[in-house]
Amino acid sequence: MSDEMLYDPAIIGQLVSELRENFGLLVSAGTDMAEAKTRIEGAWSANALGGFQAAYQSWRTEYDGGDGSEGSLHTLNKIAQLVEDALGRALGADQKIGDGFGAF
């Protein structure tokens, strides 16, 4: 059994692309939800809005912390950035090791 760490930059790059794409889809869904909220608030009476607004705020807190600072949206973006950063560090380390053999 080997203790070496192997990675495939192409696969990791594809993962980063997919994470970024899903982030964009999630942002778009959030925009759609905000637009639907505005339409619903305009169509429903004040008495009917209480439950909807509570449900919307609960969703919004899970989605982006209510102010964009946390929640699922923030987590997905952070994961994509961490994967991308890790790939950059791995490629940089590979380059330094490869440069060390340049004299041979």
Side-chain angles (χ1 to χ4, degrees), residues 35-98:
E35 290 171 1
K37 175 185 179 282
T38 300
R39 287 193 306 273
I40 288 170
E41 288 174 338
W44 287 0
S45 69
N47 293 339
L49 283 176
F52 168 76
Q53 288 174 329
Y56 177 83
Q57 189 55 47
S58 177
W59 169 82
R60 178 79 195 267
T61 299
E62 176 65 29
Y63 173 73
D64 71 356
D67 63 2
S69 65
E70 52 188 56
S72 300
L73 187 65
H74 175 75
T75 301
L76 181 59
N77 193 40
K78 182 79 170 171
I79 289 169
Q81 188 62 54
L82 290 171
V83 171
E84 192 169 31
D85 292 349
L87 177 59
R89 285 191 304 275
L91 292 172
D94 284 353
Q95 183 65 44
K96 286 180 184 178
I97 292 168

Side-chain angles (χ1 to χ4, degrees), residues 5-63:
M5 187 167 92
L6 302 176
Y7 64 95
D8 185 334
I11 291 173
I12 295 172
Q14 180 64 33
L15 173 62
V16 170
S17 293
E18 289 174 9
L19 288 168
R20 296 280 183 216
E21 180 180 346
N22 287 327
F23 176 78
L25 292 171
L26 193 54
V27 168
S28 179
T31 300
D32 291 347
M33 182 67 109
E35 290 171 1
K37 175 185 179 282
T38 300
R39 287 193 306 273
I40 288 170
E41 288 174 338
W44 287 0
S45 69
N47 293 339
L49 283 176
F52 168 76
Q53 288 174 329
Y56 177 83
Q57 189 55 47
S58 177
W59 169 82
R60 178 79 195 267
T61 299
E62 176 65 29
Y63 173 73

